[in-house]
Amino acid sequence: MASSSSSIFTGVKFSPILAPLNSRDSRRSGFIKDSRSKVRFNPAAHHRVRVEAQSLIPYNGLWAKQTTNKGRWKRNIVLGERVTQPSLSQGRSFCLTCRKTQPGIRRRSLPGAFLDASSFPLSRKSSSLGKPSQIVRATVGPDEPHAAGTAWPDGIVEERQDVELLPPEIDAAELEAFLGCELPSHPKLHRGQLKNGLRYLILPNKVPPNRFEAHMEVHVGSVDEEDDEQGIAHMIEHVAFLGSKKREKLLGTGARSNAYTDFHHTVFHIHSPTHTKDSEDDLFPSVLDALNEIAFHPKFLSSRVEKERRAILSELQMMNTIEYRVDCQLLQHLHSENKLGKRFPIGLEEQIKKWDVDKIRKFHERWYFPANATLYIVGDIDNIPRIVHNIEAVFGKTGLDNEATPTSSTPGAFGAMANFLVPKLPAGLGGTFSQERTNTADQSKIIKRERHAIRPPVEHNWSLPGTSVDLKPPQIFKHELLQNFAINMFCKIPVSKVQTFGDLRNVLMKRIFLSALHFRINTRYKSSNPPFTSVELDHSDSGREGCTVTTLTVTAEPKNWQNAVKVAVQEVRRLKEFGVTKGELTRYMDALLKDSEHLAAMIDNVSSVDNLDFIMESDALGHTVMDQTQGHETLVAVAGTVTLEEVNTVGAKVLEFVSDFGKPTAPLPAAIVACVPTKMHGEGVDESDFNITPSEILDSVKSGLLAPIEAEPELEVPKELISQSQLQELTLQRNPCFVPIPGSGVTKLHDKETGITQLRLSNGIPVNFKISQTESRAGVMRLIVGGGRAAETSDSKGAVVVGVRTLSEGGRVGDFSREQVELFCVNHLINCSLESTEEFIAMEFRFTLRDNGMQAAFQLLHMVLEHSVWLEDAFDRARQLYLSYYRSIPKSLERATAHKLMTAMLNGDERFIEPTPKSLQSLNLESVKDAVMSHFVGENMEVSIVGDFSEEEIERCVLDYLGTVKASHDSAKPLGSEPIVFRQPTDGLQFQQVFVKDTDERACAYIAGPAPNRWGFTVDGDDLFQSVSKHSVAHDGLLKSEDQLLDGSDRELQKKLRSHPLFFGISMGLLAEIINSRLFTTVRDSLGLTYDVSFELNLFDRLNLGWYVISVTSTPGKVFKAVDACKSVLRGLHSNQIAPRELDRAKRTLLMRHEAELKSNAYWLNLLAHLQASSVPRKELSCIKELTSLYEAASIEDIYVAYNQLKVDEDSLYSCIGIAGAQAGEDVTALSEEEEPEDSFSGVLPVGRGSSMTTRPTT
């Protein structure tokens, strides 16, 4: 699951210490669709750049952003995530082997003045130190905050544990005593334990309302498998989950269920309404009953085992991408001394083929029992005793009949994790259950059940000081599918539990220190031509790996690798030797406190799943769990005790494995691993062999150790980008004001129902805003500029996308340098992204309203529009980057296949794919500048803002900073668009194949065809609304009788839907859900031809076209049958009529998503898009106001009206099959200069530990 987060300390990974932030879980979105292996056709490429501020507090929504795959490693080795009901974008279930990145354990995207995320994307404040909190503690271990007792003490009162700030004067002894105090625990988190050992945690949480999460975590994973059981935990996950009849009964209730397997645990989870929609029946018992059956009482039927065996074998082949193989290499060397380097959750093919039902059942009997599991329930809960009663009623008797008494052991020896995992039983703590006879169980019924005191149960070789003799030589993984050089230096140490104020203080100091390093590297070298593509420093705890790993990752073009390593080591040394400056300490500390305050204010907007994931990972690591308010108060309390000297001392220790490399006092790296291509591009076009040796790697590191270094100079950071005097002058010159909105005769249109206000400035810029308090003191703003890549001409191919990238690479505005702009954003907690699509260029800002954050964001927008600086070296870097993207296409099976399909379907139109080398060479700085700036005409721009501001505040900012923008730029010119056409069938390119040379076999396919746009316009110029009333379904039966049953009001609703401008958007969305569900049921589940299949619609707003795409992965032997089966499903909607239950389920899925998203500012921003755009004339306020009623009014006949607009005949449908393998036909080694690649601009192929270990959708 790819995930991401944005905060002040971008690019630096940390463990979850405080609390998660509200979000649509960006990590969980990875459960639904793994974008790493998926080619995006919606549209082909988004080219995005960002300036961002990153949070101390792990956080994944709200400010969450799409991140590139570039140089990322999410240390995820999780198997299997499934959604058994049509999910957010597909009507099927999923299994992801690295299904998520835990809070704080994910790679942030690199910082920069408009960072690229292309995906073709104390100070002393008042508080109070209260009494130690009354929390329920376990009796199984001394003072372990993560272990719960079996009973609640009488008279427990939920009360916040306020934190008192230290007095202004405090001596060393008092400070030491304060830092030794325990951190407060989450006041609302309830823990308990049943007699059978099952632990449970309950947290009331109101977001989303009337829903809850129930996760059953069984403490068994791939590291518990024996040599002949590799992958069996994942197999059980599949069989147990999909074989549950009680889970299936929940499908009609609006519940969604998933599961995944990791190194250290298997998790089954259900996201459910609290009550059924019609009867208001309590769903908690049914959900718990389903989890009980799945985890502890599965039916291991031979038929289900065989079906899942086929599915897992298909999954294994599908996920065996080059990214996965890189991850395996990194883990193998990092954990060469234990099972983590060998036991990957997906397992081994030859073993998966052999296991019988008895073998699988025995593994389940050994590990899957209540005392080895934890139940998490987080959601809209009002009556906790009732939930506890339900848990006892459902799970209380499980495991009591045949469990033996555990042997005794010393509880305190295992630490928090041991006490968390091991149940409170009279005989104490044991590693395994004995088979002695008990009073309650017969000898024959006793099963040897195992559990480990420490999770994961592995021993590590820590990075300790040593000599060069002890150093493991650098390892080199070379593969023909790799495009870039990447090296990883690992340092592995035990996890430091964060349980006291002193622990938190150390985390804070490390964050400041390491963030300074990241910022320095990625700003200093962005101002020149850097030898590296990226340099990233990762310092994070991993519950799944049971250790803390610090990693320096350097990626570069192969020809620059030595200089890239040298520079990275040199910068690490500089920071270690000279430390952070006083200015950096002040700056980052201030930003952290602002960010923390902002997150604390949003405590009531944190989603249940975010809270649950955070708690689960924190418990696994032994960290104290705090809520957002506690997190901020404790941070404020320790921040005032931090000194510059201590920050530099603590931080330096983290870097010693690099900065002091080779010295006897330095920790030895746990591993040094280089992942490199077999070929490299020189100055010309031809490739040459790329060779590298371990000694050369060590020499490059040593060269960085010997290079001269100087202290970092202090940098002046602007407090504002536009002074008051400059603003007054601009106001006098431009005289900004609001003018009547076309067609209304008024200067302000306000809709009370939605809270949306529409304005128009005198320079022509339309403005939409909505005041929303769902995200406290936070706001988002988006500028949309019509045109995009579709406005590129035949002699300026690639000009827009390269121009946007050039703007981002430069990062300068006016007289301010890139560094100053970035630090301005850090100080004001601003995230800024710049993006180009086929239809438009967009800038998006996320900001806090504290300390003039909104005003700062508007100033930055004004400066970009009025005073952007275009630099020649930034253009060179942008062009080189896209050249690298292009060259990487033949190395990716998915991208090469998609590229060929899109080229054929769109007649080679380069506007929908990456620019070719020939096109790139024809560009220059002036041409790309003109291509971008020509779009910036007042009436062609639209600004939308959503946030917790006042009407007066927003209108003042709009007038001051948008109203003073010129109506047009010197380079502005009328926007034109060369026609877009789908290739004619006479060209014979409907079916094609791609062959990629690879050591392992894989296959994928894409099937695509034309569709109308969202508003009923087609590529042929037809307006479907002119004939929509004439559309009728070409068969009778169900639809006709259904229509006859409609009463007058229903007919009126249907008539209203048919005439509504969003008719095709609504009906097409429902159609996509239905097709997705059918594809999964038929192609995956019934026929067993694939592990992952999906249907997606790409409906444009401004362009008069759209297309649909079916993506399917398979094996070379099955892929042709899979394609045929997909076509049959796509074309079979008339012969196999849509059933009312299918439409009901699709409606429920989309409405649930809509209702959940309404609390998100970002979602409202999407709803406001194009509301006043002249190029989208049919977008109106009713498209937002009536969205729910439009979905509810849709009938099956409406879906067929939409379906009939998809061209699915043999002449219109395009397909391309990609096959990789040693014997895979011809080798795709290059693309011609006239061909163009598809796929999002994913940048450098992901190279990093864990970035692809997730298994994909399983069910």
Side-chain angles (χ1 to χ4, degrees):
M1 119 152 199
S3 68
S4 62
S5 76
S6 61
S7 70
I8 315 165
F9 296 102
T10 185
V12 182
K13 272 178 17 179
F14 297 101
S15 313
I17 304 302
L18 306 182
L21 195 91
N22 158 48
S23 72
R24 298 172 330 174
D25 192 340
S26 63
R27 288 158 293 124
R28 189 161 298 270
S29 67
F31 304 174
I32 304 309
K33 180 67 64 179
D34 187 351
S35 62
R36 282 186 305 277
S37 64
K38 181 151 187 59
V39 179
R40 295 187 62 85
F41 289 76
N42 57 330
H46 287 221
H47 314 293
R48 182 176 298 223
V49 213
R50 314 178 179 275
V51 170
E52 53 198 283
Q54 280 198 323
S55 164
L56 166 73
I57 298 177
Y59 158 105
N60 28 356
L62 187 64
W63 301 58
K65 58 187 191 304
Q66 281 183 289
T67 56
T68 62
N69 288 330
K70 179 169 56 178
R72 171 180 337 187
W73 3 313
K74 314 172 211 146
R75 302 185 359 221
N76 319 343
I77 316 287
V78 186
L79 274 182
E81 178 73 1
R82 28 182 97 60
V83 178
T84 58
Q85 175 174 346
S87 64
L88 298 184
S89 59
Q90 299 87 261
R92 59 205 170 86
S93 309
F94 301 105
C95 168
L96 299 175
T97 71
C98 253
R99 61 115 199 166
K100 67 179 179 180
T101 307
Q102 294 285 5
I105 304 188
R106 67 190 149 274
R107 171 61 52 209
R108 269 84 156 158
S109 59
L110 296 176
F114 313 113
L115 256 173
D116 174 56
S118 304
S119 60
F120 200 3
L122 137 105
S123 67
R124 303 186 180 276
K125 300 184 181 180
S126 62
S127 189
S128 64
L129 201 171
K131 301 176 182 178
S133 79
Q134 290 181 293
I135 59 173
V136 180
R137 297 187 181 278
T139 56
V140 294
D143 299 323
E144 296 293 350
H146 304 291
T150 56
W152 297 97
D154 293 335
I156 282 191
V157 179
E158 286 189 14
E159 59 182 16
R160 178 162 303 287
Q161 303 166 56
D162 293 327
V163 178
E164 184 178 89
L165 202 61
L166 294 175
E169 300 298 332
I170 183 170
D171 61 27
E174 291 174 314
L175 175 60
E176 184 177 356
F178 164 69
L179 296 178
C181 291
E182 290 186 0
L183 292 168
S185 295
H186 200 303
K188 295 183 179 180
L189 184 59
H190 297 259
R191 300 173 185 266
Q193 183 179 358
L194 302 182
K195 292 181 180 179
N196 59 12
L198 177 70
R199 295 181 177 278
Y200 57 84
L201 292 87
I202 304 171
L203 178 66
N205 195 72
K206 295 291 185 180
V207 180
N210 303 314
R211 300 192 71 84
F212 70 99
E213 297 279 343
H215 291 214
M216 176 63 74
E217 178 187 29
V218 185
H219 303 290
V220 58
S222 59
V223 294
D224 300 300
E225 299 164 348
E226 299 300 333
D227 289 343
D228 63 343
E229 298 174 329
Q230 296 184 53
I232 202 167
H234 181 221
M235 170 69 87
I236 288 174
E237 174 223 317
H238 273 245
V239 175
F241 183 84
L242 290 168
S244 171
K245 298 299 183 183
K246 293 181 178 180
R247 178 193 58 80
E248 290 182 359
K249 292 179 180 179
L250 294 171
L251 295 183
T253 65
R256 301 193 302 270
S257 50
N258 279 267
Y260 61 91
T261 304
D262 200 346
F263 280 140
H264 66 310
H265 66 193
T266 301
V267 178
F268 306 99
H269 61 92
I270 298 175
H271 173 79
S272 171
T274 53
H275 299 84
T276 55
K277 186 176 182 180
D278 300 324
S279 63
E280 288 297 313
D281 289 339
D282 187 356
L283 279 174
F284 279 100
S286 299
V287 169
L288 297 179
D289 207 22
L291 287 175
N292 187 36
E293 179 181 65
I294 293 168
F296 306 127
H297 307 287
K299 295 177 175 60
F300 292 106
L301 302 178
S302 296
S303 57
R304 173 55 66 183
V305 169
E306 292 309 312
K307 180 176 290 189
E308 295 315 309
R309 193 194 312 274
R310 292 196 304 268
I312 292 172
L313 291 172
S314 178
E315 177 186 9
L316 188 151
Q317 192 164 55
M318 178 196 72
M319 70 181 292
N320 191 31
T321 62
I322 188 59
E323 297 87 4
Y324 177 81
R325 285 174 256 179
V326 165
D327 291 336
C328 289
Q329 290 292 320
L330 297 178
L331 286 160
Q332 284 171 9
H333 295 301
L334 174 61
H335 300 300
S336 59
E337 73 275 18
N338 59 50
K339 283 186 176 182
L340 292 172
K342 308 174 184 67
R343 293 289 192 271
F344 303 129
I346 191 66
L348 297 179
E349 181 178 1
E350 60 272 18
Q351 294 190 20
I352 296 169
K353 291 179 178 178
K354 294 178 181 178
W355 302 319
D356 57 18
V357 171
D358 187 57
K359 179 80 170 179
I360 296 170
R361 183 184 290 112
K362 285 181 178 178
F363 186 88
H364 182 273
E365 290 172 347
R366 193 160 85 239
W367 293 105
Y368 293 74
F369 56 98
N372 197 39
T374 304
L375 174 66
Y376 298 83
I377 297 180
V378 181
D380 196 351
I381 300 166
D382 294 322
N383 191 331
I384 290 179
R386 179 175 57 84
I387 301 301
V388 172
H389 174 75
N390 288 335
I391 294 172
E392 291 174 341
V394 173
F395 296 99
K397 295 183 179 180
T398 296
L400 288 180
D401 295 338
N402 60 353
E403 274 191 17
T405 303
T407 57
S408 179
S409 182
T410 305
F414 300 105
M417 196 58 214
N419 291 297
F420 171 57
L421 288 175
V422 183
K424 174 180 178 293
L425 296 172
L429 182 63
T432 60
F433 282 88
S434 73
Q435 297 189 57
E436 297 177 6
R437 182 182 300 275
T438 68
N439 295 328
T440 59
D442 186 83
Q443 175 82 22
S444 62
K445 295 181 180 180
I446 300 300
I447 299 167
K448 182 180 180 182
R449 290 184 163 174
E450 302 183 30
R451 56 188 174 178
H452 293 295
I454 298 176
R455 304 293 304 171
V458 298
E459 293 185 0
H460 291 285
N461 292 338
W462 305 120
S463 298
L464 301 173
T467 66
S468 58
V469 176
D470 304 314
L471 177 67
K472 292 191 292 186
Q475 303 297 314
I476 300 172
F477 173 61
K478 181 181 288 190
H479 201 283
E480 58 193 345
L481 293 185
L482 289 174
Q483 172 78 6
N484 287 274
F485 166 90
I487 188 170
N488 302 272
M489 293 182 68
F490 297 107
C491 178
K492 183 163 58 168
I493 61 174
V495 173
S496 296
K497 300 172 186 175
V498 181
Q499 299 177 350
T500 68
F501 283 85
D503 299 333
L504 180 62
R505 182 172 179 261
N506 283 334
V507 171
L508 173 61
M509 292 189 291
K510 288 177 184 179
R511 293 183 177 188
I512 294 171
F513 190 85
L514 298 180
S515 299
L517 170 67
H518 186 85
F519 181 85
R520 288 180 184 184
I521 292 177
N522 291 284
T523 53
R524 175 183 291 116
Y525 290 94
K526 282 291 185 180
S527 300
S528 59
N529 286 314
F532 53 80
T533 303
S534 69
V535 176
E536 301 185 48
L537 198 289
D538 168 56
H539 180 79
S540 57
D541 303 332
S542 172
R544 60 172 60 90
E545 294 169 86
C547 59
T548 295
V549 179
T550 305
T551 313
L552 179 68
T553 302
V554 184
T555 60
E557 290 284 340
K559 63 182 179 181
N560 298 327
W561 78 267
Q562 288 169 307
N563 198 24
V565 172
K566 174 184 175 181
V567 166
V569 173
Q570 186 179 3
E571 288 303 315
V572 170
R573 281 180 57 228
R574 186 199 308 274
L575 183 60
K576 192 262 182 180
E577 293 299 324
F578 298 107
V580 299
T581 67
K582 185 177 180 180
E584 286 174 320
L585 173 60
T586 302
R587 181 183 310 126
Y588 288 119
M589 180 71 79
D590 183 58
L592 273 169
L593 294 175
K594 288 179 182 177
D595 199 17
S596 173
E597 182 185 12
H598 168 68
L599 302 188
M602 300 182 65
I603 186 171
D604 294 327
N605 293 294
V606 183
S607 72
S608 294
V609 70
D610 284 343
N611 269 320
L612 190 150
D613 286 341
F614 171 73
I615 293 167
M616 186 182 291
E617 180 70 3
S618 296
D619 271 345
L621 293 167
H623 298 328
T624 295
V625 179
M626 298 183 287
D627 66 19
Q628 290 81 357
T629 301
Q630 292 172 320
H632 174 62
E633 291 173 345
T634 54
L635 187 66
V636 171
V638 300
T641 72
V642 169
T643 66
L644 181 62
E645 181 181 2
E646 286 177 297
V647 168
N648 288 329
T649 300
V650 170
K653 290 185 180 299
V654 178
L655 303 182
E656 284 180 345
F657 79 103
V658 176
S659 63
D660 294 354
F661 180 78
K663 295 181 181 180
T665 57
L668 287 173
I672 301 175
V673 187
C675 301
V676 304
T678 57
K679 301 284 186 179
M680 62 178 286
H681 285 275
E683 296 302 324
V685 178
D686 296 336
E687 288 185 321
S688 59
D689 291 338
F690 179 73
N691 296 305
I692 185 174
T693 65
S695 60
E696 288 177 321
I697 292 174
L698 292 177
D699 288 342
S700 67
V701 173
K702 292 173 182 176
S703 67
L705 296 173
L706 298 174
I709 56 175
E710 297 177 354
E712 183 77 6
E714 287 283 11
L715 185 66
E716 182 182 353
V717 183
K719 293 182 178 180
E720 55 188 13
L721 300 180
I722 303 173
S723 67
Q724 278 300 113
S725 60
Q726 290 172 322
L727 182 59
Q728 290 171 1
E729 185 178 347
L730 278 170
T731 302
L732 289 174
Q733 290 177 1
R734 309 275 167 83
N735 192 25
C737 63
F738 295 116
V739 298
I741 299 170
S744 71
V746 298
T747 59
K748 179 189 292 189
L749 283 175
H750 176 73
D751 181 74
K752 292 184 179 180
E753 183 179 342
T754 61
I756 295 171
T757 299
Q758 300 177 64
L759 302 166
R760 186 167 292 248
L761 288 162
S762 50
N763 55 14
I765 300 177
V767 177
N768 313 304
F769 72 81
K770 173 180 169 59
I771 299 173
S772 171
Q773 297 177 340
T774 57
E775 298 180 14
S776 177
R777 304 303 290 159
V780 292
M781 172 170 61
R782 180 185 295 151
L783 164 72
I784 294 179
V785 185
R789 293 205 66 192
E792 293 176 352
T793 62
S794 56
D795 58 353
S796 65
K797 296 176 182 178
V800 170
V801 68
V802 175
V804 168
R805 182 68 195 215
T806 299
L807 197 57
S808 77
E809 286 290 321
R812 289 181 55 183
V813 293
D815 296 328
F816 300 105
S817 69
R818 180 191 183 94
E819 293 89 342
Q820 289 176 310
V821 173
E822 291 199 13
L823 291 175
F824 176 81
C825 290
V826 168
N827 285 355
H828 291 90
L829 299 184
I830 297 171
N831 293 341
C832 170
S833 66
L834 178 61
E835 173 184 20
S836 63
T837 73
E838 289 79 357
E839 296 187 282
F840 51 79
I841 298 170
M843 287 193 70
E844 186 170 318
F845 301 82
R846 296 169 182 262
F847 51 86
T848 172
L849 278 87
R850 289 168 173 76
D851 299 325
N852 297 317
M854 182 168 70
Q855 181 179 343
F858 270 92
Q859 287 184 5
L860 181 56
L861 174 57
H862 177 99
M863 293 298 289
V864 171
L865 294 176
E866 291 281 280
H867 304 289
S868 294
V869 178
W870 294 78
L871 304 173
E872 195 70 46
D873 64 336
F875 166 71
D876 291 338
R877 291 196 301 274
R879 183 165 58 179
Q880 182 60 39
L881 189 60
Y882 282 105
L883 181 60
S884 177
Y885 291 158
Y886 183 88
R887 288 170 174 168
S888 70
I889 295 169
K891 297 179 182 292
S892 166
L893 177 65
E894 289 79 13
R895 294 184 66 202
T897 305
H899 146 72
K900 200 159 190 175
L901 174 79
M902 293 295 288
T903 303
M905 184 173 72
L906 290 168
N907 202 30
D909 195 329
E910 197 170 318
R911 291 171 292 181
F912 297 92
I913 41 192
E914 289 104 325
T916 63
K918 180 179 178 181
S919 298
L920 291 170
Q921 291 303 321
S922 68
L923 300 175
N924 56 53
L925 181 63
E926 283 303 313
S927 66
V928 301
K929 177 183 177 182
D930 289 345
V932 171
M933 299 310 294
S934 63
H935 295 67
F936 288 82
V937 180
E939 294 182 353
N940 191 47
M941 298 189 286
E942 180 188 51
V943 176
S944 299
I945 315 102
V946 182
D948 186 14
F949 40 71
S950 69
E951 185 176 344
E952 181 182 359
E953 287 174 325
I954 188 62
E955 291 185 6
R956 186 74 267 159
C957 282
V958 167
L959 278 174
D960 286 349
Y961 300 109
L962 287 180
T964 53
V965 171
K966 287 187 294 186
S968 64
H969 288 265
D970 297 336
S971 56
K973 56 186 178 184
L975 289 174
S977 179
E978 295 182 358
I980 301 168
V981 297
F982 286 90
R983 192 186 295 267
Q984 295 301 309
T986 54
D987 294 339
L989 297 177
Q990 262 64 32
F991 173 74
Q992 298 190 86
Q993 295 185 58
V994 168
F995 301 97
V996 175
K997 206 77 170 179
D998 192 2
T999 53
D1000 299 347
E1001 288 189 346
R1002 296 173 60 235
C1004 71
Y1006 297 102
I1007 305 163
N1013 77 357
R1014 196 182 317 276
W1015 309 101
F1017 294 102
T1018 72
V1019 72
D1020 299 322
D1022 296 333
D1023 180 355
L1024 298 178
F1025 276 98
Q1026 293 181 358
S1027 55
V1028 68
S1029 60
K1030 302 176 183 177
H1031 288 306
S1032 61
V1033 182
H1035 54 268
D1036 296 318
L1038 171 66
L1039 297 183
K1040 186 173 182 179
S1041 60
E1042 178 194 59
D1043 186 61
Q1044 291 172 344
L1045 293 174
L1046 293 177
D1047 58 26
S1049 62
D1050 289 334
R1051 288 196 188 95
E1052 197 61 35
L1053 281 174
Q1054 189 177 62
K1055 182 179 179 181
K1056 180 180 179 180
L1057 173 61
R1058 290 285 182 93
S1059 62
H1060 196 279
L1062 201 55
F1063 169 73
F1064 285 101
I1066 293 290
S1067 54
M1068 286 287 183
L1070 291 166
L1071 174 64
E1073 290 291 331
I1074 293 167
I1075 294 177
N1076 252 315
S1077 182
R1078 288 193 173 193
L1079 283 171
F1080 179 81
T1081 301
T1082 303
V1083 185
R1084 195 284 196 189
D1085 210 32
S1086 298
L1087 300 178
L1089 297 173
T1090 181
Y1091 183 75
D1092 188 20
V1093 59
S1094 68
F1095 175 90
E1096 291 186 8
L1097 276 167
N1098 298 274
L1099 308 179
F1100 290 101
D1101 288 289
R1102 296 173 181 249
L1103 301 178
N1104 290 341
L1105 79 154
W1107 59 69
Y1108 61 85
V1109 179
I1110 296 177
S1111 308
V1112 60
T1113 61
S1114 190
T1115 65
K1118 295 180 179 179
V1119 67
F1120 290 90
K1121 291 182 179 179
V1123 168
D1124 289 340
C1126 289
K1127 290 180 180 179
S1128 296
V1129 170
L1130 181 62
R1131 293 169 176 160
L1133 263 69
H1134 282 305
S1135 59
N1136 182 12
Q1137 294 182 10
I1138 297 171
R1141 59 177 175 78
E1142 290 181 285
L1143 178 58
D1144 289 343
R1145 180 175 293 181
K1147 286 181 180 181
R1148 187 166 53 245
T1149 299
L1150 295 179
L1151 284 172
M1152 280 172 47
R1153 186 194 317 163
H1154 172 65
E1155 290 166 5
E1157 298 279 19
L1158 284 175
K1159 285 186 173 290
S1160 163
N1161 286 349
Y1163 185 64
W1164 276 101
L1165 206 59
N1166 291 332
L1167 293 176
L1168 290 174
H1170 315 301
L1171 187 56
Q1172 296 191 60
S1174 59
S1175 57
V1176 190
R1178 286 183 174 159
K1179 178 69 177 280
E1180 58 186 38
L1181 203 55
S1182 67
C1183 297
I1184 302 172
K1185 293 175 64 173
E1186 300 173 7
L1187 199 56
T1188 298
S1189 63
L1190 293 174
Y1191 276 125
E1192 292 173 341
S1195 67
I1196 291 178
E1197 184 171 354
D1198 294 325
I1199 308 307
Y1200 276 104
V1201 170
Y1203 173 65
N1204 289 336
Q1205 309 316 311
L1206 300 184
K1207 297 186 177 182
V1208 299
D1209 59 280
E1210 203 61 48
D1211 287 341
S1212 302
L1213 186 148
Y1214 287 80
S1215 61
C1216 187
I1217 291 176
I1219 297 176
Q1223 308 297 323
E1226 56 188 282
D1227 183 17
V1228 181
T1229 57
L1231 298 172
S1232 75
E1233 293 294 291
E1234 301 304 318
E1235 290 184 316
E1236 309 82 7
E1238 200 283 328
D1239 191 23
S1240 47
F1241 279 31
S1242 53
V1244 182
L1245 287 173
V1247 178
R1249 187 174 99 259
S1251 63
S1252 65
M1253 300 303 283
T1254 98
T1255 49
R1256 309 318 202 256
T1258 317
T1259 53

